[in-house]
Amino acid sequence: MALKNKYLADLLETVKKRNQGEPEFIQAVTEVFISLEPVAEKRPDLIEAGVFERIVEPERQIIFRVPWVDDNGVTRVNRGFRIEFNSAIGPYKGGLRLHPSVYLGIIKFLGFEQIFKNSLTTLPMGGGKGGSDFDPKGKSDGEVMRFCQSFMTELCKHIGPNTDVPAGDIGTGGREIGYMFGQYKRLRNEFTGVLTGKGLTFGGSLARTEATGYGLCYYTEEMLKANGKSFKGQTVVISGSGNVAIYATQKATELGAKVVALSDSNGYIYDENGIDLDLVKQLKEVERKRIKEYVNVHPEAKYTEGCSGIWTIPCDIALPCATQNEIDEQSAKTLAKNGCYAVSEGANMPSTPEAIDVYFANNMLYGPAKAANAGGVAVSGLEMSQNSERLAWTFEDVDGRLKNIMKEIFKSCDEAAKEYGCEGNYMAGANIAGFLKVAEAMKAQGCV
Ligand code: NDP
């Protein structure tokens, strides 16, 4: 889909020139600009205030060397990133991704998306993201610890509880956050809520582990309800088998669905009896094994090599929870052909633009990542509140707040879509609602 608004089309060309070799970032900006066309028409004051130009340029980009020593005494060097994208409505907030595919363009797309997602949560958090091309897979605990300590030795100069508060993402779970928090505390000699997703014994929030997956299901249930449907009795396919996928499986099952497939970067399992989640947790969270081990315990289930085949499994609802661009046009067509009527995104930008076109062409319900997966950062925001007041809330309290936040997020996507003439297009609604709050704040704060 091409941009019709000349002002935004010209600005997109500038963004492309300035960010060459970063296709994921261009993809994310293009999607948002397409959604914002009616806003640009209706709000010339935001154009005058330079909000569009400023919002696509990170406030600060930090790139640094991360040297560490492996178990054989060999020096290794990775590259670290932190993009402090936008602080109009609060301290920068967003996760740290540790994966070999990480480079500047990935972190920038994630940081850009984070601005709108954080705005949608209604909590005061700006947008940021970081990470490294370090691969925790196959590394010993000691190696992961030394990497995390080296990473934080530089990062600690740039973050703080009122400045920038990182969290987890792909490859960064409780173990990594613990090592990073320990190093921050040691270097700065202060015990503050500088990271979220911390362990429960040192300032972590109950329900943070579950938050993104649970939140995804709460959002999706609202979307289904608004369209006369629910999870009850539905067959669901979920990609990934990490933090988001595991807790999405748990909540979807609690809400009455049958989850029949999960994957990792090697392949996927299909269990038509419904996934045995206790086994997946044991394999993935405790033993850090591959998903194919599942069939050793459940030989009636089937394992297939390769990731994209998971979308050929017939289902009613698809929840992509692995990584960016994992559903392409062909996979989207296959989903539609097999009767899938709803796609809701746990991962960030898991659908290519062509796949999204297929969803709309087939009248499928589409829950976009920046709304549907905002539960993780929302509970991170609640963790920051608990740290500030030196209190710990109960699981039920946090989970209840999460549920309300996800309901509100769906409502604002729905209402913004209606107000700007694209009813039912929750992607446009999310982009518009998330943008407007940040844009008003940027305008009010002057040209900074
Ligand atoms: P995890 O590292 O816990 O799990 C990631 C899962 O996705 C693993 O099963 C992994 O397989 C798979 N995966 C990762 N990269 C690829 C790839 N290139 N191709 C195929 N499969 C891949 O990460 P999370 O569950 O935390 O994150 C999943 C997604 O959700 C990401 O897009 C993340 O940005 C997003 N997200 C996460 C939030 C959170 O709170 N954790 C919040 C909001 C969004 P393998 O083990 O083989 O690598």
Side-chain angles (χ1 to χ4, degrees):
M1 213 163 123
L3 278 164
K4 292 188 256 339
N5 180 286
K6 171 140 177 27
Y7 170 76
L8 289 177
D10 290 349
L11 181 53
L12 183 62
E13 286 312 307
T14 307
V15 173
K16 284 180 182 166
K17 269 194 209 120
R18 194 177 268 167
N19 302 280
Q20 288 177 29
E22 297 173 6
E24 297 84 359
F25 178 55
I26 303 300
Q27 182 182 335
V29 174
T30 306
E31 181 208 290
V32 170
F33 274 13
I34 289 171
S35 298
L36 293 181
E37 283 192 298
V39 180
E41 302 290 339
K42 211 168 164 174
R43 295 290 306 270
D45 58 310
L46 297 179
I47 296 180
E48 242 163 72
V51 167
F52 293 92
E53 275 95 345
R54 288 189 282 141
I55 209 164
V56 291
E57 186 63 21
E59 290 176 16
R60 197 171 297 103
Q61 307 187 48
I62 303 149
I63 304 182
F64 51 99
R65 180 170 73 192
V66 190
W68 55 282
V69 177
D70 72 15
D71 287 347
N72 298 317
V74 176
T75 297
R76 305 279 203 102
V77 177
N78 286 101
R79 182 171 282 184
F81 301 90
R82 187 70 186 166
I83 302 297
E84 297 182 333
F85 219 118
N86 193 298
S87 61
I89 62 167
Y92 310 106
K93 181 91 197 84
L96 297 170
R97 178 172 292 190
L98 300 182
H99 193 273
S101 63
V102 163
Y103 78 106
L104 186 59
I106 294 268
I107 301 299
K108 267 160 71 177
F109 113 67
L110 290 163
F112 182 68
E113 296 270 294
Q114 199 81 43
I115 303 171
F116 309 102
K117 180 188 310 196
N118 293 2
S119 162
L120 284 169
T121 65
T122 69
L123 302 173
M125 298 182 289
K129 198 80 187 190
S132 170
D133 56 2
F134 174 79
D135 187 359
K137 237 179 280 157
K139 304 286 191 303
S140 69
D141 279 352
E143 289 175 325
V144 171
M145 182 179 76
R146 291 193 292 280
F147 167 82
C148 289
Q149 290 178 339
S150 178
F151 183 80
M152 184 51 84
T153 300
E154 176 59 32
L155 188 68
C156 78
K157 299 169 192 164
H158 310 283
I159 61 175
N162 297 311
T163 310
D164 184 356
V165 185
D169 190 72
I170 290 179
T172 307
R175 174 181 61 170
E176 291 75 18
I177 292 289
Y179 292 149
M180 289 183 197
F181 180 77
Q183 183 74 349
Y184 181 90
K185 184 166 60 65
R186 179 191 194 191
L187 291 168
R188 300 285 289 261
N189 194 23
E190 60 179 37
F191 196 111
T192 46
V194 69
L195 291 162
T196 57
K198 298 184 293 296
L200 295 177
T201 52
F202 52 97
S205 174
L206 285 162
R208 175 60 188 92
T209 307
E210 293 83 355
T212 309
Y214 277 23
L216 169 65
C217 293
Y218 295 147
Y219 179 92
T220 307
E221 185 73 348
E222 284 303 302
M223 178 174 79
L224 294 172
K225 210 165 72 187
N227 292 275
K229 299 182 184 299
S230 89
F231 268 115
K232 212 163 250 140
Q234 304 300 285
T235 299
V236 178
V237 165
I238 299 183
S239 63
S241 49
N243 172 264
V244 181
I246 285 177
Y247 293 95
T249 302
Q250 185 159 313
K251 186 51 72 179
T253 308
E254 270 175 42
L255 291 171
K258 183 164 79 165
V259 179
V260 294
L262 287 175
S263 63
D264 60 21
S265 55
N266 295 108
Y268 63 94
I269 49 161
Y270 173 46
D271 188 341
E272 63 180 343
N273 300 320
I275 293 290
D276 174 354
L277 192 60
D278 288 340
L279 173 59
V280 174
K281 284 185 179 176
Q282 177 66 24
L283 289 173
K284 287 295 184 180
E285 294 185 331
V286 182
E287 298 173 22
R288 295 179 189 275
K289 286 193 171 151
R290 310 308 298 159
I291 199 71
K292 71 173 170 208
E293 308 272 341
Y294 184 94
V295 295
N296 295 341
V297 180
H298 287 288
E300 72 285 5
K302 193 167 167 253
Y303 172 75
T304 309
E305 282 286 329
C307 302
S308 61
I310 193 168
W311 308 119
T312 62
I313 299 170
C315 64
D316 303 301
I317 299 166
L319 304 177
C321 295
T323 194
Q324 65 275 353
N325 291 327
E326 54 172 310
I327 303 186
D328 62 9
E329 182 178 13
Q330 192 46 52
S331 296
K333 282 183 174 162
T334 308
L335 281 168
K337 184 170 68 79
N338 287 339
C340 172
Y341 64 81
V343 178
S344 203
E345 299 178 331
N348 284 308
M349 207 169 74
S351 309
T352 64
E354 297 77 22
I356 296 171
D357 289 344
V358 173
Y359 305 153
F360 288 128
N362 286 277
N363 291 321
M364 291 160 79
L365 299 174
Y366 171 49
K370 54 175 81 66
N373 74 22
V377 75
V379 172
S380 277
L382 301 179
E383 182 172 329
M384 289 165 73
S385 302
Q386 294 169 75
N387 292 164
S388 296
E389 51 172 32
R390 303 263 193 275
L391 289 173
W393 305 341
T394 63
F395 187 96
E396 290 68 29
D397 188 357
V398 179
D399 188 37
R401 289 174 195 247
L402 168 65
K403 203 178 284 180
N404 283 336
I405 289 172
M406 298 315 294
K407 275 187 183 179
E408 284 305 311
I409 292 178
F410 176 74
K411 202 166 141 221
S412 35
C413 298
D414 192 29
E415 287 175 357
K418 284 178 184 151
E419 190 185 334
Y420 282 83
C422 40
E423 186 168 354
N425 181 341
Y426 307 121
M427 175 182 79
N431 287 329
I432 293 169
F435 170 80
L436 280 174
K437 178 174 165 191
V438 179
E440 300 294 2
M442 289 175 75
K443 187 182 160 197
Q445 290 169 28
C447 185
V448 290

CSV table of all heavy atoms in Angstrom, one decimal, residues 97 99 101 110 117 129 137 168-172 208 212 239-245 263-266 284 290 307 321-324 346-348 373-374 376-377, ligand 1:
chain,number,residue,atom,x,y,z
A,97,ARG,N,17.2,-7.3,23.6
A,97,ARG,CA,17.2,-8.5,22.9
A,97,ARG,C,18.6,-9.1,22.7
A,97,ARG,O,19.5,-8.4,22.2
A,97,ARG,CB,16.6,-8.3,21.5
A,97,ARG,CG,16.6,-9.5,20.6
A,97,ARG,CD,15.8,-9.4,19.3
A,97,ARG,NE,14.3,-9.2,19.6
A,97,ARG,CZ,13.4,-9.2,18.7
A,97,ARG,NH1,13.7,-9.4,17.4
A,97,ARG,NH2,12.1,-9.1,19.0
A,99,HIS,N,20.3,-11.9,20.6
A,99,HIS,CA,20.1,-12.8,19.5
A,99,HIS,C,21.1,-12.5,18.4
A,99,HIS,O,21.4,-11.3,18.1
A,99,HIS,CB,18.6,-12.7,19.0
A,99,HIS,CG,18.2,-13.8,18.1
A,99,HIS,ND1,18.5,-13.8,16.7
A,99,HIS,CD2,17.6,-15.0,18.3
A,99,HIS,CE1,18.0,-15.0,16.2
A,99,HIS,NE2,17.5,-15.7,17.1
A,101,SER,N,20.9,-12.3,15.4
A,101,SER,CA,20.4,-11.4,14.2
A,101,SER,C,20.3,-9.9,14.6
A,101,SER,O,20.0,-9.1,13.8
A,101,SER,CB,18.9,-11.9,13.9
A,101,SER,OG,18.1,-11.7,15.0
A,110,LEU,N,12.2,-1.9,16.8
A,110,LEU,CA,11.6,-2.3,18.1
A,110,LEU,C,11.4,-1.1,19.0
A,110,LEU,O,10.4,-0.9,19.6
A,110,LEU,CB,12.4,-3.4,18.8
A,110,LEU,CG,12.5,-4.8,18.2
A,110,LEU,CD1,13.6,-5.6,18.7
A,110,LEU,CD2,11.1,-5.5,18.4
A,117,LYS,N,3.4,1.6,21.7
A,117,LYS,CA,2.9,0.5,22.6
A,117,LYS,C,2.8,1.1,24.0
A,117,LYS,O,1.8,0.9,24.7
A,117,LYS,CB,3.9,-0.7,22.5
A,117,LYS,CG,3.5,-1.8,23.4
A,117,LYS,CD,4.6,-2.9,23.5
A,117,LYS,CE,5.0,-3.3,22.1
A,117,LYS,NZ,5.8,-4.5,22.1
A,129,LYS,N,14.8,0.7,23.3
A,129,LYS,CA,15.0,-0.8,23.1
A,129,LYS,C,16.5,-0.9,23.0
A,129,LYS,O,17.3,0.0,22.7
A,129,LYS,CB,14.4,-1.2,21.8
A,129,LYS,CG,14.2,-2.7,21.7
A,129,LYS,CD,13.0,-3.3,22.4
A,129,LYS,CE,12.9,-4.8,22.4
A,129,LYS,NZ,11.7,-5.3,22.9
A,137,LYS,N,22.3,-19.0,23.5
A,137,LYS,CA,22.1,-20.4,23.3
A,137,LYS,C,23.4,-21.2,23.3
A,137,LYS,O,24.3,-20.8,22.6
A,137,LYS,CB,21.3,-20.6,22.0
A,137,LYS,CG,20.0,-21.4,22.1
A,137,LYS,CD,19.3,-21.6,20.8
A,137,LYS,CE,18.6,-20.4,20.4
A,137,LYS,NZ,18.3,-20.2,19.0
A,168,GLY,N,13.4,-7.5,29.7
A,168,GLY,CA,13.7,-8.6,28.9
A,168,GLY,C,13.1,-8.6,27.5
A,168,GLY,O,12.4,-7.7,27.1
A,169,ASP,N,13.6,-9.5,26.6
A,169,ASP,CA,13.0,-9.7,25.3
A,169,ASP,C,13.6,-11.0,24.8
A,169,ASP,O,14.1,-11.8,25.7
A,169,ASP,CB,13.4,-8.5,24.3
A,169,ASP,CG,12.7,-8.6,23.0
A,169,ASP,OD1,11.5,-8.3,23.0
A,169,ASP,OD2,13.3,-9.0,22.0
A,170,ILE,N,13.6,-11.3,23.6
A,170,ILE,CA,14.2,-12.6,23.1
A,170,ILE,C,15.6,-12.8,23.7
A,170,ILE,O,16.4,-11.9,23.6
A,170,ILE,CB,14.3,-12.6,21.5
A,170,ILE,CG1,12.9,-12.7,20.9
A,170,ILE,CG2,15.1,-13.8,21.1
A,170,ILE,CD1,12.8,-12.7,19.4
A,171,GLY,N,15.8,-13.9,24.3
A,171,GLY,CA,17.2,-14.2,24.8
A,171,GLY,C,17.5,-13.6,26.1
A,171,GLY,O,18.5,-13.9,26.7
A,172,THR,N,16.7,-12.7,26.6
A,172,THR,CA,16.9,-12.1,27.9
A,172,THR,C,15.7,-12.4,28.8
A,172,THR,O,14.6,-11.8,28.7
A,172,THR,CB,17.0,-10.5,27.8
A,172,THR,OG1,18.0,-10.2,26.8
A,172,THR,CG2,17.4,-9.9,29.1
A,208,ARG,N,4.8,-10.7,36.2
A,208,ARG,CA,5.5,-10.1,35.1
A,208,ARG,C,5.9,-11.2,34.1
A,208,ARG,O,5.8,-11.0,32.9
A,208,ARG,CB,6.8,-9.4,35.6
A,208,ARG,CG,7.7,-8.9,34.4
A,208,ARG,CD,7.0,-7.9,33.5
A,208,ARG,NE,7.7,-7.5,32.3
A,208,ARG,CZ,7.6,-8.1,31.1
A,208,ARG,NH1,6.8,-9.2,31.0
A,208,ARG,NH2,8.3,-7.7,30.1
A,212,THR,N,3.0,-10.9,29.2
A,212,THR,CA,2.8,-10.7,27.8
A,212,THR,C,1.9,-11.7,27.2
A,212,THR,O,1.0,-11.4,26.5
A,212,THR,CB,4.2,-10.7,27.1
A,212,THR,OG1,5.1,-9.8,27.7
A,212,THR,CG2,4.0,-10.2,25.6
A,239,SER,N,3.1,-19.8,17.6
A,239,SER,CA,4.5,-20.0,17.3
A,239,SER,C,5.4,-19.6,18.4
A,239,SER,O,5.0,-18.8,19.3
A,239,SER,CB,4.9,-19.3,16.0
A,239,SER,OG,4.7,-17.9,16.3
A,240,GLY,N,6.6,-20.2,18.4
A,240,GLY,CA,7.6,-19.9,19.5
A,240,GLY,C,7.3,-20.9,20.7
A,240,GLY,O,6.3,-21.6,20.7
A,241,SER,N,8.2,-20.9,21.6
A,241,SER,CA,8.0,-21.7,22.8
A,241,SER,C,8.8,-21.0,23.9
A,241,SER,O,9.3,-21.7,24.8
A,241,SER,CB,8.4,-23.1,22.6
A,241,SER,OG,9.7,-23.2,22.1
A,242,GLY,N,8.9,-19.7,23.8
A,242,GLY,CA,9.6,-18.9,24.8
A,242,GLY,C,8.6,-18.3,25.8
A,242,GLY,O,7.5,-18.8,26.0
A,243,ASN,N,9.0,-17.2,26.4
A,243,ASN,CA,8.2,-16.6,27.5
A,243,ASN,C,6.8,-16.3,27.0
A,243,ASN,O,5.8,-16.6,27.6
A,243,ASN,CB,8.9,-15.4,28.0
A,243,ASN,CG,8.1,-14.6,29.0
A,243,ASN,OD1,7.4,-13.6,28.6
A,243,ASN,ND2,8.0,-15.0,30.2
A,244,VAL,N,6.7,-15.6,25.9
A,244,VAL,CA,5.4,-15.2,25.4
A,244,VAL,C,4.5,-16.3,25.0
A,244,VAL,O,3.3,-16.5,25.4
A,244,VAL,CB,5.5,-14.1,24.3
A,244,VAL,CG1,4.1,-13.7,23.8
A,244,VAL,CG2,6.4,-13.0,24.7
A,245,ALA,N,5.1,-17.3,24.2
A,245,ALA,CA,4.3,-18.4,23.7
A,245,ALA,C,3.8,-19.3,24.9
A,245,ALA,O,2.6,-19.7,24.9
A,245,ALA,CB,5.2,-19.2,22.8
A,263,SER,N,6.5,-23.9,18.5
A,263,SER,CA,7.7,-24.1,17.7
A,263,SER,C,8.9,-23.5,18.4
A,263,SER,O,8.8,-22.9,19.4
A,263,SER,CB,7.5,-23.4,16.3
A,263,SER,OG,7.3,-22.0,16.5
A,264,ASP,N,10.1,-23.7,17.8
A,264,ASP,CA,11.2,-22.9,18.1
A,264,ASP,C,11.9,-22.7,16.8
A,264,ASP,O,11.3,-22.9,15.7
A,264,ASP,CB,12.1,-23.6,19.2
A,264,ASP,CG,12.7,-24.9,18.8
A,264,ASP,OD1,12.8,-25.2,17.6
A,264,ASP,OD2,13.1,-25.7,19.7
A,265,SER,N,13.2,-22.2,16.8
A,265,SER,CA,13.8,-21.8,15.5
A,265,SER,C,14.2,-22.9,14.7
A,265,SER,O,14.6,-22.8,13.5
A,265,SER,CB,14.9,-20.8,15.7
A,265,SER,OG,15.8,-21.3,16.6
A,266,ASN,N,14.1,-24.2,15.2
A,266,ASN,CA,14.4,-25.3,14.4
A,266,ASN,C,13.2,-26.0,13.7
A,266,ASN,O,13.3,-26.6,12.7
A,266,ASN,CB,15.1,-26.4,15.2
A,266,ASN,CG,16.4,-25.9,15.7
A,266,ASN,OD1,16.6,-25.6,16.9
A,266,ASN,ND2,17.4,-25.8,14.8
A,284,LYS,N,11.7,-26.2,28.2
A,284,LYS,CA,12.2,-24.9,27.8
A,284,LYS,C,12.7,-24.0,28.9
A,284,LYS,O,13.7,-23.4,28.8
A,284,LYS,CB,11.1,-24.1,27.0
A,284,LYS,CG,10.8,-24.7,25.6
A,284,LYS,CD,12.1,-24.4,24.8
A,284,LYS,CE,12.0,-24.9,23.4
A,284,LYS,NZ,13.2,-24.6,22.6
A,290,ARG,N,15.5,-28.3,23.1
A,290,ARG,CA,14.8,-28.0,21.9
A,290,ARG,C,13.3,-28.5,21.9
A,290,ARG,O,13.1,-29.5,22.6
A,290,ARG,CB,15.5,-28.5,20.6
A,290,ARG,CG,17.0,-28.2,20.5
A,290,ARG,CD,17.3,-26.7,20.7
A,290,ARG,NE,16.7,-25.9,19.6
A,290,ARG,CZ,16.4,-24.6,19.7
A,290,ARG,NH1,16.7,-24.0,20.9
A,290,ARG,NH2,15.9,-24.0,18.8
A,307,CYS,N,10.3,-23.7,10.4
A,307,CYS,CA,9.4,-22.9,11.2
A,307,CYS,C,8.1,-22.6,10.5
A,307,CYS,O,7.0,-22.7,11.1
A,307,CYS,CB,10.0,-21.5,11.6
A,307,CYS,SG,11.5,-21.7,12.5
A,321,CYS,N,4.1,-15.8,18.2
A,321,CYS,CA,4.8,-15.3,19.4
A,321,CYS,C,6.3,-15.6,19.3
A,321,CYS,O,6.9,-15.8,20.4
A,321,CYS,CB,4.2,-16.1,20.6
A,321,CYS,SG,2.5,-15.6,21.0
A,322,ALA,N,6.9,-15.7,18.1
A,322,ALA,CA,8.3,-16.0,18.0
A,322,ALA,C,9.1,-14.7,17.7
A,322,ALA,O,9.8,-14.1,18.5
A,322,ALA,CB,8.5,-17.1,17.0
A,323,THR,N,8.9,-14.2,16.4
A,323,THR,CA,9.8,-13.2,16.0
A,323,THR,C,9.3,-12.4,14.8
A,323,THR,O,8.2,-12.7,14.3
A,323,THR,CB,11.2,-13.8,15.6
A,323,THR,OG1,12.2,-12.7,15.5
A,323,THR,CG2,11.2,-14.6,14.3
A,324,GLN,N,10.0,-11.4,14.4
A,324,GLN,CA,9.5,-10.5,13.3
A,324,GLN,C,9.4,-11.2,11.9
A,324,GLN,O,10.2,-12.1,11.6
A,324,GLN,CB,10.3,-9.2,13.1
A,324,GLN,CG,11.8,-9.4,12.7
A,324,GLN,CD,12.7,-9.7,13.8
A,324,GLN,OE1,12.3,-9.7,15.0
A,324,GLN,NE2,13.9,-10.1,13.5
A,346,GLY,N,1.6,-11.8,19.4
A,346,GLY,CA,2.4,-11.7,20.7
A,346,GLY,C,3.8,-11.2,20.4
A,346,GLY,O,4.4,-10.5,21.2
A,347,ALA,N,4.4,-11.6,19.3
A,347,ALA,CA,5.7,-11.2,18.9
A,347,ALA,C,5.6,-9.8,18.3
A,347,ALA,O,4.5,-9.3,18.0
A,347,ALA,CB,6.3,-12.1,17.8
A,348,ASN,N,6.7,-9.1,18.2
A,348,ASN,CA,6.8,-7.8,17.6
A,348,ASN,C,6.9,-7.9,16.1
A,348,ASN,O,7.8,-8.5,15.6
A,348,ASN,CB,7.9,-6.9,18.1
A,348,ASN,CG,7.6,-6.5,19.5
A,348,ASN,OD1,6.6,-5.8,19.8
A,348,ASN,ND2,8.5,-6.7,20.5
A,373,ASN,N,0.4,-7.1,22.4
A,373,ASN,CA,1.5,-7.6,23.3
A,373,ASN,C,2.0,-6.6,24.3
A,373,ASN,O,3.0,-6.8,24.9
A,373,ASN,CB,2.7,-8.3,22.5
A,373,ASN,CG,3.5,-7.2,21.8
A,373,ASN,OD1,3.6,-6.1,22.2
A,373,ASN,ND2,4.3,-7.7,20.8
A,374,ALA,N,1.2,-5.6,24.5
A,374,ALA,CA,1.6,-4.5,25.4
A,374,ALA,C,1.5,-4.9,26.9
A,374,ALA,O,1.9,-4.1,27.8
A,374,ALA,CB,0.7,-3.2,25.2
A,376,GLY,N,3.2,-7.0,28.6
A,376,GLY,CA,4.5,-7.2,29.2
A,376,GLY,C,5.0,-5.9,29.7
A,376,GLY,O,5.4,-5.7,30.9
A,377,VAL,N,5.0,-4.9,28.9
A,377,VAL,CA,5.5,-3.6,29.3
A,377,VAL,C,4.6,-2.9,30.3
A,377,VAL,O,5.0,-2.2,31.2
A,377,VAL,CB,5.9,-2.7,28.1
A,377,VAL,CG1,4.6,-2.1,27.5
A,377,VAL,CG2,6.8,-1.6,28.5
B,1,NDP,P1,12.1,-16.0,24.1
B,1,NDP,O1,13.5,-15.8,23.9
B,1,NDP,O2,11.6,-16.4,25.5
B,1,NDP,O3,11.4,-17.0,23.1
B,1,NDP,C1,11.5,-16.7,21.7
B,1,NDP,C2,10.9,-17.9,21.0
B,1,NDP,O4,10.8,-17.6,19.6
B,1,NDP,C3,11.8,-19.1,21.1
B,1,NDP,O5,11.0,-20.2,21.0
B,1,NDP,C4,12.7,-19.0,19.9
B,1,NDP,O6,13.2,-20.2,19.4
B,1,NDP,C5,11.7,-18.4,18.9
B,1,NDP,N1,12.5,-17.6,17.9
B,1,NDP,C6,13.3,-16.5,18.2
B,1,NDP,N2,13.9,-16.1,17.1
B,1,NDP,C7,13.4,-16.8,16.1
B,1,NDP,C8,13.7,-16.8,14.7
B,1,NDP,N3,14.5,-15.9,14.1
B,1,NDP,N4,13.0,-17.7,14.0
B,1,NDP,C9,12.2,-18.6,14.5
B,1,NDP,N5,11.9,-18.7,15.9
B,1,NDP,C10,12.6,-17.8,16.6
B,1,NDP,O7,11.5,-14.5,23.7
B,1,NDP,P2,10.0,-13.9,24.1
B,1,NDP,O8,9.0,-15.0,24.2
B,1,NDP,O9,10.2,-13.0,25.3
B,1,NDP,O10,9.7,-13.0,22.8
B,1,NDP,C11,9.0,-13.5,21.7
B,1,NDP,C12,8.5,-12.3,20.9
B,1,NDP,O11,7.6,-11.6,21.7
B,1,NDP,C13,9.6,-11.4,20.4
B,1,NDP,O12,9.2,-10.8,19.2
B,1,NDP,C14,9.6,-10.3,21.5
B,1,NDP,O13,10.0,-9.0,21.0
B,1,NDP,C15,8.1,-10.2,21.8
B,1,NDP,N6,7.7,-9.6,23.0
B,1,NDP,C16,8.2,-10.1,24.2
B,1,NDP,C17,7.8,-9.5,25.4
B,1,NDP,C18,8.2,-10.1,26.7
B,1,NDP,O14,7.7,-9.6,27.7
B,1,NDP,N7,9.1,-11.1,26.8
B,1,NDP,C19,7.0,-8.3,25.4
B,1,NDP,C20,6.4,-7.9,24.2
B,1,NDP,C21,6.8,-8.5,23.0
B,1,NDP,P3,14.7,-20.6,19.8
B,1,NDP,O15,14.7,-20.9,21.2
B,1,NDP,O16,15.1,-21.7,18.9
B,1,NDP,O17,15.6,-19.4,19.5
